[in-house]
Amino acid sequence: GLHVGNAPSDARPDRGAGTPVASMQNQEDLADTYQDVSAPMPLDLSPALGTSMSGSIDKSTAFDLFKYEVEEGRNLSMILKERKKRLTDLRHNLRDQTMELNSGKEEIDS
């Protein structure tokens, strides 16, 4: 895969006026809790789980553990799935309405 490395801790851009802000409750609490995700987690798991030679978990495996094993991660994953589904439904609805609108306009123009 493609490895791009780790950015320095001061590389985060300043939040500008056009930067979207997540509307999650207790967002600051989440940021404090999961601030240093780059630090390896000292667990003794098998290589099948994505562990390195030192026994620490890579970021992808740590994310999967959070997403499936931690209640907060499962909740956030469920919310994300629901919102993705809603977005897909809205896009389909928009497409259908656009086709109906274009059909009506075509009728008027002819």
Side-chain angles (χ1 to χ4, degrees), residues 28-91:
E28 291 82 18
D29 295 340
L30 289 174
D32 292 341
T33 304
Y34 303 105
Q35 194 170 26
D36 187 14
V37 294
S38 63
M41 297 173 60
L43 295 174
D44 185 20
L45 298 176
S46 69
L49 290 178
T51 56
S52 67
M53 297 293 279
S54 66
S56 62
I57 300 175
D58 62 29
K59 288 182 183 183
S60 177
T61 304
F63 177 72
D64 285 342
L65 287 172
F66 173 74
K67 187 172 158 182
Y68 298 111
E69 302 296 329
V70 177
E71 181 179 357
E72 184 177 13
R74 284 192 304 267
N75 292 339
L76 291 173
S77 179
M78 184 178 65
I79 290 169
L80 179 62
K81 285 179 187 177
E82 289 170 357
R83 290 182 180 176
K84 282 182 176 182
K85 172 79 169 96
R86 176 74 175 135
L87 180 59
T88 300
D89 293 344
L90 289 170
R91 284 181 175 159

Side-chain angles (χ1 to χ4, degrees), residues 4-25:
V4 293
N6 293 322
S9 61
D10 62 345
R12 174 178 243 154
D14 293 331
R15 184 176 298 279
T19 305
V21 177
S23 62
M24 293 184 341
Q25 292 178 337

